Amino acid sequence: MTERLYRWTKKRLRQQLAVVQGERAPSLVLKDATYLNHARRKWLKANIWVAEDRIVYVGKGMPPVLTNTEIVDCSQSRVVPGYIEHHAHPFQLYNPHSFANYAASRGTTTLINDNMTFFLYLDKKKALTLIDALDELPTSMYWWCRYDAQTELNDEELFSNSKMKEWLEHPLVVQGGELTSWPKVLTGDDSILHWMQETTRLRKPIEGHLPGASERTLAQMALLGVTCDHESMTGEEAVRRLDLGYMTSLRHSSIRPDLPKLLKEMQELGVDYFDRCLMTTDGSPPSFYEDGLMDKLIRIAIESGLDPIDAYAMASYNVAKYYQLDHKLGMIAPGRIAHLNILDSVENPTPTSVLAKGKWIVRDGKQCEEYEPFPWEEYGIGSFEANWDLTENDLHFSMPMGIEMVNAVILKPYQIPIECTDRILSIEHEESFFAMIDKNGEWLITTMIKGFATHVFGFASSFSNTGDIILIGKSVADMVAAFRALKEQGGGMTLVEDGEVIGSIPLQLFGILSAKPMQEIMKDEKKFVKLLRDRGYKHEDPIYSLLFFSSTHLPYIRVTQRGIYDVKKKTVLFPAIMR
């Protein structure tokens, strides 16, 4: 049942009461379970009764009626609440459905998701209908509401008042943010401040995005309503947030695998109380999750010396309590949704069996159901379509300033030292041609990029923050060939050498998401990333690089729909050109 004002109808509530009253049989009993009771911070022994999707009883008794009840002996196991990823970006090649399906198999049975892609690509009615449909999956799906696009858009009307209001008021939307445009708010943007105030009025928290923030900045953002931040890069920064009353999320992602360092430094600084700490993988690319999601982070926390009760709470109870969802999630107690992980030991958080909404996802190490595709087309989500063409004559590279990759996500300006009139560049240097082209073919930006790769001749991607096309390469002809291959396959990524496609990732949804199961997306990503690395890509993560080329919450320059943009000065250095 999807999340409405009331999750359970009066009829369902009466049926659940009848189970406890001994008039109906529960669907499942976990017998003699040693379970984690967060209310007492102890491991206790009990029988756990489940009626369909809800825990209805936890105690010493057994049901008097057991007709068709499944009874599972848990005397040799430990049972913990299902894990919660509170800061998911479920659009990193995978989609919310495939990510949730895989996450649940590792015990992460609740996701709190970024809404950016659905907000930008779908009209309000379809998007909100879609998130209702996704919540009918065994995994619980909640959402944020963004205040800005994290880039400079040509169409600022996308963030209309009516759209923002309906998103924020939706029962599945549990927070505002993440707030990447906080500098605008501090310098007088009252439109975003208005929506922050509305979020607070609705009694929903606001998550910040405050990398490197000083004590004074953190204090100012707290005054404006920000209550949580996940951007600590040192133990000292995490403690600073705790000292100022923030809920502090500790990140461990593909480009910031910081959790062991953060926990070590926090403990060295005297932190021994973790009730105001959460953990997140911050929307990493598919292959990062091969060895787990929140189960991986819990394991790191235990290995870092935390009390296992704290480690499990940071990925379950602490999250539910912060989002005011602990009456439904994060605890093993009557009234909670039946998200339960059965472990072989406290030290091993990867479950042997997983229940999500009372349904077996994994049983004794075996997946219980085949992957079923989601009907995306019913919600207006299809493939990338371009009814326009690109020729070599469209691509001219005469701009004096290029972009240099400092690392996977930081870009700075640099003076182009080479002649750009040639149509093929040498592989003896790190410069390549770069173009961003409107997905509808109306405008383009052309320049040079330094530090992406040395031997990539033609690369095209519709995977980007805004869905616009990125072209990179040493050969203009191969870049055009890569675009045409991209257009033919309906979006995604393509790699071309000497006119031949040597690698591709089809992304069937909007041209930015794959419709495949997570395990297949992992294989596609690893194969394609290897091709890029073999051709000189040297940074942490090319998927993040592509996503963040236009993201204006990062220094120093970005390539946006309006042109090459100076983040600090908030000005367009070189405007996009109409085709």
Side-chain angles (χ1 to χ4, degrees), residues 70 85 123 125 211 213 219 222 262 279 290 312 377 424 460 503 525 575:
E70 181 181 8
E85 168 56 276
D123 68 50
K125 184 177 179 180
L262 289 171
M279 298 188 290
E290 275 192 307
Y312 284 103
E377 65 283 352
I424 298 179
E525 179 214 354

Side-chain angles (χ1 to χ4, degrees), residues 45 60 68-69 133 143 276 290 306 355-356 383 399 530:
K45 194 115 179 175
K60 295 180 181 179
N68 297 322
T69 299
W143 299 83
R276 292 193 61 80
E290 275 192 307
L306 266 66
L355 280 164
S383 61
M399 192 179 292
K530 184 179 186 304

Side-chain angles (χ1 to χ4, degrees), residues 212-223:
S214 67
E215 185 179 64
R216 189 180 295 263
T217 296
L218 290 168
Q220 292 178 81
M221 296 314 300
L223 289 175

Side-chain angles (χ1 to χ4, degrees), residues 227-344:
T227 53
C228 181
D229 186 68
H230 62 283
E231 286 291 331
S232 301
M233 290 178 272
T234 66
E236 182 182 359
E237 291 184 354
V239 171
R240 184 184 305 156
R241 284 158 174 76
L242 290 172
D243 287 348
L244 293 174
Y246 279 73
M247 204 71 180
T248 302
S249 184
L250 309 178
R251 176 174 50 193
H252 192 77
S253 69
S254 60
I255 58 173
R256 298 293 324 183
D258 294 339
L259 188 58
K261 173 177 177 283
L262 289 171
L263 291 171
K264 177 177 182 291
E265 293 177 356
M266 289 171 72
Q267 290 175 94
E268 288 173 349
L269 290 167
V271 176
D272 57 4
Y273 179 79
F274 290 89
D275 282 17
R276 292 193 61 80
C277 292
L278 315 176
M279 298 188 290
T280 180
T281 59
D282 198 13
S284 294
S287 59
F288 180 80
Y289 294 110
E290 275 192 307
D291 54 350
L293 278 88
M294 301 312 293
D295 56 316
K296 172 164 66 175
L297 273 56
I298 295 167
R299 179 176 288 105
I300 291 171
I302 293 172
E303 291 172 352
S304 298
L306 266 66
D307 184 324
I309 292 176
D310 284 323
Y312 284 103
M314 288 161 66
S316 56
Y317 178 62
N318 292 1
V319 187
K321 186 170 60 172
Y322 170 66
Y323 287 101
Q324 302 176 65
L325 294 169
D326 50 315
H327 61 295
K328 289 187 287 193
L329 298 169
M331 295 183 73
I332 299 176
R336 275 63 178 186
I337 298 170
H339 291 314
L340 297 164
N341 290 332
I342 301 175
L343 315 177
D344 58 15

Side-chain angles (χ1 to χ4, degrees), residues 54-123:
R54 197 178 197 189
I55 301 169
V56 296
Y57 174 88
V58 179
K60 295 180 181 179
M62 281 291 288
V65 180
L66 290 169
T67 308
N68 297 322
T69 299
E70 181 181 8
I71 300 176
V72 179
D73 180 2
C74 291
S75 58
Q76 304 302 311
S77 305
R78 297 293 180 109
V79 184
V80 296
Y83 310 140
I84 306 171
E85 168 56 276
H86 83 100
H87 189 91
H89 296 273
F91 306 110
Q92 309 287 55
L93 304 185
Y94 45 80
N95 64 68
H97 171 255
S98 59
F99 186 60
N101 186 277
Y102 179 77
S105 74
R106 304 291 302 222
T108 300
T109 53
T110 299
L111 301 174
I112 303 178
N113 294 322
D114 185 358
N115 76 327
M116 176 79 84
T117 298
F118 290 163
F119 189 96
L120 293 180
Y121 283 79
L122 295 175
D123 68 50

Side-chain angles (χ1 to χ4, degrees), residues 21 31 61 97 153 327 343 351 387 411 420:
Q21 293 166 352
K31 186 179 178 183
H97 171 255
L153 295 175
H327 61 295
L343 315 177
N387 57 5
L411 307 176
C420 301

